[in-house]
Amino acid sequence: IIQNANACIFNYKGNHMHNDYFKLTLPRAKKFLDSVEIKKFKDVMPLTAKYFKTKDHLKFSQIKDFPLTPIAKGETWGQTWDSAWFLMQADLSNIKVTSELLAKIDFNGEAIVFSPDGVHHQGLTNGSVFAHQAGRSVFAIPPHWIKNGKLEFWVEASASSLFGVSR
């Protein structure tokens, strides 16, 4: 499976033994490809995140009043169909920004990235019920988002996938 292709069509209807093979092999291959992908970046800087959950759809102008809770990579932030707002931050003062900056974020659902002042920037998704390879988790960071060596932006996320929830 080639991850860097613009499109990938995979349709296999073999016998049960082959299906079990793919269930075991594909997660291993994805883990390997993810580790290779990270190595192609020059500098990798961690993002910190704080968040709050909500059942209501909120406008960006409404989110500043909610208390934020820190959350670490890998922690659960919600159940199926929950929504949350995340304040993402990074200290970039120790690196010299000489090329395009990219962020890779996977909230295990759909999300939309907002600029620090609330402008829609990019949609993200971890995949769909039809094709898990259809995810989008990398986006360009505009240079004007960095102020005094600090990066800050917001993400609204939903614990669902593109076209629904996988079962």
Side-chain angles (χ1 to χ4, degrees):
I1 295 176
I2 299 172
Q3 292 285 344
N4 284 341
N6 288 333
C8 179
I9 298 173
F10 188 91
N11 187 10
Y12 179 81
K13 295 187 183 205
N15 65 35
H16 181 69
M17 184 178 92
H18 289 316
N19 289 339
D20 288 343
Y21 172 78
F22 283 113
K23 285 180 186 176
L24 293 172
T25 305
L26 288 177
R28 290 179 187 162
K30 181 172 178 7
K31 185 176 180 180
F32 171 75
L33 289 171
D34 287 346
S35 72
V36 170
E37 180 181 27
I38 282 293
K39 291 177 182 164
K40 71 183 175 186
F41 295 108
K42 182 179 176 188
D43 294 309
V44 178
M45 304 295 295
L47 288 165
T48 60
K50 300 174 188 169
Y51 81 109
F52 70 90
K53 269 195 324 188
T54 179
K55 295 284 184 189
D56 301 317
H57 175 71
L58 301 173
K59 294 179 182 176
F60 187 82
S61 60
Q62 298 172 294
I63 68 172
K64 303 287 180 155
D65 296 331
F66 287 85
L68 298 171
T69 303
I71 186 167
K73 180 180 177 181
E75 288 184 36
T76 300
W77 61 268
Q79 302 302 315
T80 302
W81 299 112
D82 281 347
S83 292
W85 281 87
F86 294 83
L87 173 60
M88 308 300 295
Q89 298 172 313
D91 182 356
L92 304 177
S93 59
N94 291 330
I95 66 167
K96 184 176 180 182
V97 179
T98 58
S99 61
E100 181 179 26
L101 290 179
L102 301 174
K104 180 176 176 154
I105 301 174
D106 184 352
F107 286 95
N108 202 25
E110 292 184 282
I112 186 161
V113 178
F114 290 84
S115 69
D117 55 348
V119 176
H120 300 88
H121 178 67
Q122 177 73 56
L124 305 173
T125 185
N126 66 325
S128 83
V129 295
F130 303 112
H132 289 285
Q133 306 91 337
R136 182 175 194 161
S137 60
V138 177
F139 63 95
I141 298 171
H144 66 272
W145 287 11
I146 302 167
K147 305 283 187 206
N148 299 319
K150 308 287 184 197
L151 170 65
E152 182 175 294
F153 59 92
W154 288 86
V155 178
E156 180 184 18
S158 170
S160 63
S161 295
L162 187 63
F163 304 119
V165 175
S166 297
R167 303 223 185 260

